Every structure is written in C-alpha cells, then in structure tokens.
Amino acid sequence: MKNARNRQNSLLHAKSYAFALRVVRMARFLREEQQEFILSKQVLRSGTAIGALVRESEFAQSGADFINKLSIALKEANETDYWLCLLRDSDYIEEQAFSSMEDNCGELIALLISSIKTVKNNQKKDEDAL
C-alpha cells in the first residue's frame, strides 16, 4: 500500500489525476459548446472517480481493502471508456480527442490491472512464507 508521501512518485496517482483534469475540461466543453448535459455528467462522474479511488487506496485498512479500492477504480475506468465511445459515436467529440482520451484511459486500465496483480501476488507470497 502506498502512503501520502509516495504520492508524488506514483505513476498511477499522477496519471489518474491528469486524466481527471482532462475529463473535467472535456465535460465543461460538452456542456458549454455542445449543450450536452447527460453524457457529460456520466463521463465526469466515472472519469474523476478513478483518481479519487486511487487516492482513497492510500489509506486502505488492509491489503484486501487496497485491492478493493483499485478494483472499483478499474470498473470506473472501464465505464469511462464506454462513455468515451458513446460520445465519439454520437458525434459529440471528434476522433482525435476520443483517441487521445481513450489512450489515457487504456493506460490507467493497464496500470490498475498491474497494481492489483502485484498486490495479489505479494499477498500470496506472504501467505506461502507462513
């Protein structure tokens, strides 16, 4: 488990925060420029939840709690990818913006999967050592 002092060195923290900022800006664009209010709210909620859950995991009560927080973040990232696809396919965002956002979302998904697997493997090693 990470703690607050390791936050600056965490790629997952940095990327999830940067992604959340991009999502906030995109949601603002969707509301102000496209007059789209429903999908923008959905992508805003799921896209910012990723980083919030990663942040919550810093003070997880146990390894299982840590894995749970990151697993929920993974679900939110997958949901965000869905909303991004829907926004592209409904012509609210252009292909270039979609590709860039989806690439970032995919990176987060890969980082979350890797982090979850690492913690699970470490727990298994600890159990085997007993």
Side-chain angles (χ1 to χ4, degrees):
M1 289 176 281
K2 302 263 184 217
N3 63 34
R5 285 178 277 186
N6 292 335
R7 186 181 307 143
Q8 294 89 356
N9 300 327
S10 168
L11 186 61
L12 182 56
H13 280 85
K15 287 191 176 280
S16 62
Y17 188 81
F19 184 72
L21 282 174
R22 289 193 72 195
V23 168
V24 167
R25 291 180 183 125
M26 183 180 66
R28 184 182 311 136
F29 164 80
L30 289 167
R31 286 190 312 271
E32 292 174 1
E33 303 296 324
Q34 300 285 16
Q35 298 298 299
E36 197 301 306
F37 301 98
I38 305 302
L39 298 178
S40 62
K41 190 177 212 177
Q42 293 290 354
V43 75
L44 179 65
R45 186 203 50 76
S46 65
T48 57
I50 301 163
L53 286 157
V54 168
R55 184 77 174 256
E56 268 188 67
S57 73
E58 287 176 8
F59 295 102
Q61 296 174 334
S62 65
D65 188 34
F66 183 77
I67 291 168
N68 184 53
K69 298 285 188 228
L70 292 187
S71 295
I72 296 169
L74 179 58
K75 289 179 182 183
E76 294 292 344
N78 188 49
E79 181 181 338
T80 300
D81 186 62
Y82 170 81
W83 294 121
L84 290 170
C85 290
L86 196 56
L87 285 163
R88 177 205 52 202
D89 293 344
S90 59
D91 297 322
Y92 280 111
I93 60 174
E94 294 179 7
E95 184 65 37
Q96 183 179 0
F98 165 78
S99 293
S100 177
M101 293 292 288
E102 189 181 48
D103 286 349
N104 289 168
C105 192
E107 283 182 61
L108 285 173
I109 288 170
L111 284 169
L112 287 162
I113 289 170
S114 177
S115 296
I116 291 165
K117 284 182 178 179
T118 298
V119 174
K120 284 182 177 180
N121 287 338
N122 289 342
Q123 283 181 336
K124 184 166 175 28
K125 286 178 189 173
D126 290 346
E127 289 170 8
D128 291 344
L130 297 176

